[in-house]
Amino acid sequence: MPAVSIIIPVYNIGKYLEKCLDSVIAQTFPDIEIIVVNDGSTDNSPEIIARYADKDPRIVVIDKANEGLAYARKSGIEAANGEYIQHLDGDDYLELDAIELVYRKAKEKDADMVVFPFWFDYPDSGKSKRSIEIACTSCTGLEYFSAISFSKAHWAVWSYLHKRSLYANSITFRQELSYGEDVFLTTQLSYYSSRVAVLKSRPLLHYIIRENSITNSRLSEKKAGNILLYPSLVDNFLKNKPEYSSLQKELSAIRIQANNELLSKRWFKDAHKLSKESLAILRQYPDLKPQVKSFYKLFTLYAHNRLLGRLYAQYYIFKKKIK
């Protein structure tokens, strides 16, 4: 049994895939299996995957019809044999000692999850930004869930190593989620984790953000629907859990984050309703106000006057673009 299974979903990213795979096969920690899930790519990604699989026997290739990111990850998990799992998007890449450092930390702390710092890389501008510095060094899964909910950590499923045994719980994947699937999966994994260790190191992964990426593009009806859906999925997952009543503030913060995301991506269709909802949450939990920052004015305007709200939103987005 390998120590770590690295799961890489791939869909039409041939232009960037080689850098990702090079960073994985060159890891200083060799006891890995590399599961590459070709999610119905129509570009040259399958040829690249086959070429790398020919030269490295640790690479396991799964070819499947396109079903989206959530189910691509699910297929990789079902094929994995490692004690731990590391997710990695096919257009991102690892520092060469990343797996060695996070696995060593996992064994040292007997952790269910090991969270590590990473870079946000913006190749169009040549800039990079470090991920959030997490305050604790060790916490429970629910404490980590709270930190993420209050924007003190990140949702991304590739930002932590985690035990494969966590999937023995009833972990659910939603095929329709192309945006927010990290939130839903991380909530479930965090809930079932007893011990989360935080690795204090230099950033170990490069998360690439391009102008045309899913996370950086203007919203379609489907993506907006995903953002409206994932807070409800998180709520439904926790609803029958004994901790549900004590997590209402966290769930409210997640809802506000989703509303922020919709407005920041110029989704005006539901802006009046969402702004009223956010203001109601802030009246109940006023200490969440720092999380909305400049959105507070936007919420207030939209809640009382749709036209003023939309004009301010256009101004706010324009101002952000020229910074």
Side-chain angles (χ1 to χ4, degrees), residues 32-283:
I32 59 175
E33 68 173 353
I34 305 160
I35 300 175
V36 186
V37 183
N38 171 34
D39 191 33
S41 296
T42 57
D43 68 349
N44 65 335
S45 295
E47 289 76 16
I48 295 170
I49 295 167
R51 174 157 46 85
Y52 275 79
D54 283 344
K55 67 181 181 180
D56 194 321
R58 297 174 299 174
I59 295 178
V60 177
V61 181
I62 299 175
D63 287 307
K64 60 186 291 297
N66 179 254
E67 294 183 288
L69 181 57
Y71 269 32
R73 293 200 207 280
K74 181 175 182 287
S75 296
I77 291 160
E78 290 170 349
N81 296 295
E83 180 186 5
Y84 284 86
I85 283 177
Q86 177 65 54
H87 291 294
L88 177 66
D89 288 351
D91 52 352
D92 299 334
Y93 64 97
L94 295 168
E95 291 289 305
L96 298 186
D97 57 351
I99 300 301
E100 179 181 355
L101 294 176
V102 293
Y103 180 74
R104 185 191 303 162
K105 187 73 170 182
K107 300 304 285 185
E108 175 191 332
K109 298 296 183 182
D110 188 25
D112 296 308
M113 300 172 66
V114 177
V115 185
F116 57 86
F118 59 91
W119 289 114
F120 292 97
D121 283 351
Y122 300 86
D124 297 315
S125 66
K127 295 180 180 179
S128 294
K129 182 177 72 172
R130 186 186 170 108
S131 60
I132 295 169
E133 186 74 30
I134 300 173
C136 67
T137 56
S138 182
C139 58
T140 66
L142 281 177
E143 287 170 339
Y144 182 59
F145 171 76
S146 291
I148 301 173
S149 301
F150 299 139
S151 300
K152 296 177 181 178
H154 295 283
W155 288 111
V157 298
W158 38 256
S159 66
Y160 51 85
L161 185 79
H162 56 289
K163 283 185 176 177
R164 180 167 61 93
S165 59
L166 291 173
Y167 293 97
N169 299 288
S170 298
I171 302 295
T172 302
F173 296 82
R174 294 293 292 258
Q175 183 180 355
E176 72 272 31
L177 276 185
S178 60
Y179 199 116
E181 56 94 20
D182 288 54
V183 181
F184 187 43
L185 181 54
T186 297
T187 295
Q188 297 175 81
L189 294 174
S190 297
Y191 181 82
Y192 291 118
S193 294
S194 299
R195 183 178 292 109
V196 177
V198 178
L199 181 63
K200 305 290 186 179
S201 72
R202 70 186 190 285
L204 298 178
L205 181 147
H206 294 259
Y207 173 53
I208 311 301
I209 302 176
R210 297 180 178 85
E211 287 297 323
N212 62 348
S213 69
I214 289 176
T215 53
N216 204 41
S217 58
R218 188 167 181 171
L219 290 186
S220 64
E221 189 90 29
K222 179 182 177 181
K223 291 174 189 173
N226 282 180
I227 294 175
L228 289 168
L229 175 62
Y230 76 71
S232 299
L233 291 175
V234 171
D235 188 273
N236 287 339
F237 169 73
L238 292 169
K239 188 163 285 184
N240 296 320
K241 306 292 190 294
E243 302 88 354
Y244 181 67
S245 60
S246 66
L247 294 172
Q248 291 306 299
K249 186 175 178 181
E250 284 85 348
L251 293 169
S252 296
I254 292 169
R255 176 65 67 180
I256 282 185
Q257 287 175 13
N259 292 352
N260 286 0
E261 190 70 20
L262 283 163
L263 292 176
S264 72
K265 293 186 178 293
R266 293 166 279 176
W267 186 253
F268 303 128
K269 182 177 178 180
D270 304 296
H272 180 65
K273 174 187 170 186
L274 297 175
S275 295
K276 290 182 73 172
E277 178 183 58
S278 292
L279 287 175
I281 290 171
L282 291 172
R283 283 193 291 271

